[in-house]
Amino acid sequence: MLASIPDSLRSTRRNMKSRLGYLGFGRMRETAWIAARDCESEVEDLIENLGLDGMVDVFVGEPAGLSDIDELLHRCWDLDALTAGYNDFVVRFAPLVPTNARDDLTAEESVLRWMRLTHDYRELVHRDPELPPEVLPDAARSLRHRVVETYATIHDDLFERAQAHARRMFELDSAP
């Protein structure tokens, strides 16, 4: 995607950059952005919502063999920070993977851990540009898989415990 937005629309340009980042775009150059997934409809909505018709050109394609893909990926996305985020998540929640570790939590601890798990996972998903696994560095690919496994293993159990505690606190189980 190529965007040429005048200085008079500086706040719109900032808004566009923020929303492109949210969509998983990486910045190739000052006015050039790339995404590793099909997001044409989201970009179309973005252009329309921000009133950028005529200032943005969208292309769909793939890099030529002349490009150093690894260098391009590292230039457009901070893969080291993404890998570190994956690692932090796995390390933070590894103690809760065994079922008996969750059994030892109080109801209040279950609520707090479920909230932290959900928040941290959503933060990672928000920052993840959804690059195909085959182009990720080995460590990032392995850790992304472990993040998903860790979340899936812990989430439902903690959610049930948190929900049960909330129902007891608000006396929803005894309501007519």
Side-chain angles (χ1 to χ4, degrees):
M1 181 181 103
L2 299 174
S4 181
I5 302 170
D7 281 342
S8 61
L9 296 174
R10 190 172 297 137
S11 64
T12 302
R13 186 172 49 215
R14 266 194 307 273
N15 191 356
M16 180 199 72
K17 288 177 183 179
S18 172
R19 291 175 67 184
L20 286 173
Y22 179 77
L23 291 174
F25 276 76
R27 193 162 154 187
M28 253 176 93
R29 302 267 188 268
E30 183 63 29
T31 62
W33 295 77
I34 63 172
R37 64 179 185 83
D38 177 11
C39 50
E40 275 185 84
S41 63
E42 289 116 317
V43 171
E44 186 178 327
D45 290 344
L46 174 67
I47 292 168
E48 183 180 322
N49 290 336
L50 294 178
L52 297 175
D53 292 325
M55 293 179 247
V56 177
D57 297 303
V58 179
F59 302 89
V60 176
E62 58 187 56
L66 300 174
S67 298
D68 178 346
I69 300 301
D70 195 48
E71 187 277 326
L72 177 67
L73 293 170
H74 279 86
R75 181 171 16 117
C76 295
W77 293 281
D78 189 348
L79 298 181
D80 293 335
L82 185 63
T83 303
Y86 291 154
N87 187 64
D88 291 347
F89 183 92
V90 170
V91 167
R92 182 178 303 115
F93 294 104
L96 292 175
V97 170
T99 304
N100 63 336
R102 296 187 303 276
D103 289 342
D104 293 339
L105 296 175
T106 66
E108 292 83 6
E109 289 171 331
S110 293
V111 171
L112 293 173
R113 299 281 168 79
W114 172 77
M115 290 174 66
R116 172 53 69 189
L117 175 80
T118 303
H119 174 270
D120 289 1
Y121 186 75
R122 287 181 179 165
E123 279 289 312
L124 269 180
V125 168
H126 171 74
R127 290 186 330 187
D128 191 328
E130 298 181 45
L131 296 172
E134 62 271 11
V135 301
L136 286 174
D138 291 341
R141 183 179 326 119
S142 172
L143 285 166
R144 180 197 270 174
H145 181 72
R146 288 184 58 201
V147 163
V148 172
E149 280 184 340
T150 300
Y151 178 79
T153 300
I154 299 169
H155 177 270
D156 289 349
D157 186 32
L158 285 180
F159 176 72
E160 287 177 16
R161 294 164 190 258
Q163 187 178 44
H165 179 63
R167 292 185 75 75
R168 282 189 305 275
M169 281 184 54
F170 295 109
E171 300 177 356
L172 296 175
D173 290 328
S174 61

